[in-house]
Amino acid sequence: MTQALSDAPQAPLRYARVLSIAGSDSGGGAGIQADLKTFAALGCYGMTAITALTAQNTLGVSGIHGVPPAFLKAQIQAVVEDIGVDAVKLGMLHAPEVVEVVAWAIDHYRLPNVVLDPVMVATSGDRLIASETVQVLVRELFPRAVVVTPNLDEAALLIGHAIGGVDALDAAADALLALGAQAVLLKGGHLPGDEVVDVLLARGGARKRLASARIASRNLHGTGCTLSSAIAAHLALGLALPEAVERARTYILGAMAAGAHVKTGAGHGPLNHGFAPVPTHRLPPSA
């Protein structure tokens, strides 16, 4: 007897799964802590592979302890081989060996939707990674990422000169694309003015300027981590890159505004990641 369609077993649903490969911020405002908060706020299931531990608060970083590359590899393997991944956010990758593990994992597991936030320069202007690591990161990860999201200081380090103003953003984005990136979101938030302008440029695609009014706030710690994580979350949910970037900017602007008048610690506090959370999305099973 043929089983009725209504009685047919249903394949289980799944979550949109986003893996953060990044450093830990003990103060909770940036790094994997910000990433997990962002994934959850946008309805995704977050996972981590920690590259380094930091002793950190709103006043700054007082210590960094790198995770051995072999253990980073073990974390990635444990997550990918059991749970699976729909998108990846890459953050603090402090050593060439760490970069090489990540490049291996992207190729070996064919990890999709890789968003690279090249964490190279602290807010204070201090270099966080050596020149050798920068070279390996550009060579190994720029071509493997769907988008690279540098701020102005990081972009200046990558292209070898400062970016003088909004009019220089387009040329800088072209130079970053020439380094091998598939797409670049160049963030112009460090430029002066009442308006913040970012440039999204994809290889063979259209150039797009994204502008918004500047939000006056002391609580801007973790903005770069949060934006790149939001992009990865929206990619995991199936959006194309331009729409994922636009929705990520909308989310981060809301998180900045909602956290602007809250005091957390004595220094630069975090965003309000949970200002408008949505339920965790349940998606059809993977093909």
Side-chain angles (χ1 to χ4, degrees):
M1 182 176 179
T2 303
Q3 186 180 31
L5 290 177
S6 59
D7 297 331
Q10 300 294 312
L13 301 175
R14 64 179 180 85
Y15 296 127
R17 305 153 297 179
V18 193
L19 170 62
S20 170
I21 305 177
S24 168
D25 173 4
S26 56
I32 63 160
Q33 286 81 356
D35 298 343
L36 288 173
K37 293 172 187 177
T38 301
F39 300 154
L42 295 173
C44 293
Y45 180 82
M47 305 162 289
T48 63
I50 300 174
T51 61
L53 307 176
T54 68
Q56 184 174 174
N57 55 28
T58 64
L59 297 173
V61 180
S62 58
I64 298 176
H65 179 71
V67 171
F71 192 69
L72 172 62
K73 182 177 181 180
Q75 293 177 76
I76 297 171
Q77 290 175 308
V79 168
V80 177
E81 293 178 6
D82 175 41
I83 300 170
V85 173
D86 297 303
V88 181
K89 176 266 174 75
L90 303 179
M92 181 181 180
L93 307 174
H94 59 283
E97 299 81 8
V98 168
V99 175
E100 289 165 359
V101 166
V102 173
W104 169 85
I106 293 171
D107 289 348
H108 183 76
Y109 293 112
R110 298 182 181 179
L111 298 179
N113 297 320
V114 177
V115 178
L116 172 59
D117 182 22
V119 180
M120 299 177 178
V121 184
T123 303
S124 62
D126 295 331
R127 288 276 295 270
L128 296 177
I129 61 177
S131 297
E132 178 188 3
T133 306
V134 174
Q135 294 170 8
V136 176
L137 186 146
V138 170
R139 183 182 72 238
E140 298 295 332
L141 296 183
F142 270 45
R144 291 176 166 89
V146 297
V147 65
V148 182
T149 64
N151 62 30
L152 286 183
D153 293 332
E154 291 154 351
L157 178 61
L158 287 164
I159 66 178
H161 62 80
I163 301 166
V166 172
D167 292 340
L169 289 175
D170 287 336
D174 289 332
L176 289 165
L177 213 64
L179 293 176
Q182 300 303 307
V184 173
L185 176 65
L186 177 55
K187 300 173 293 189
H190 290 177
L191 291 174
D194 295 331
E195 189 177 58
V196 174
V197 178
D198 303 332
V199 172
L200 175 64
L201 176 63
R203 188 174 297 278
R207 186 187 311 269
K208 189 168 190 176
R209 284 200 170 200
L210 303 151
S212 55
R214 186 177 300 277
I215 297 172
S217 176
R218 182 175 174 80
N219 300 324
L220 301 177
H221 182 52
T223 52
C225 302
T226 299
L227 179 60
S228 56
S229 294
I231 295 170
H234 287 302
L235 291 173
L237 291 168
L239 298 185
L241 180 61
E243 187 176 359
V245 168
E246 288 194 22
R247 292 204 185 185
R249 288 185 90 256
T250 298
Y251 167 73
I252 196 172
L253 290 171
M256 290 167 62
H261 303 295
V262 180
K263 180 174 174 56
T264 305
H268 295 284
L271 313 181
N272 185 341
H273 292 91
F275 75 100
V278 300
T280 305
H281 297 281
R282 293 182 297 173
L283 307 177
S286 302

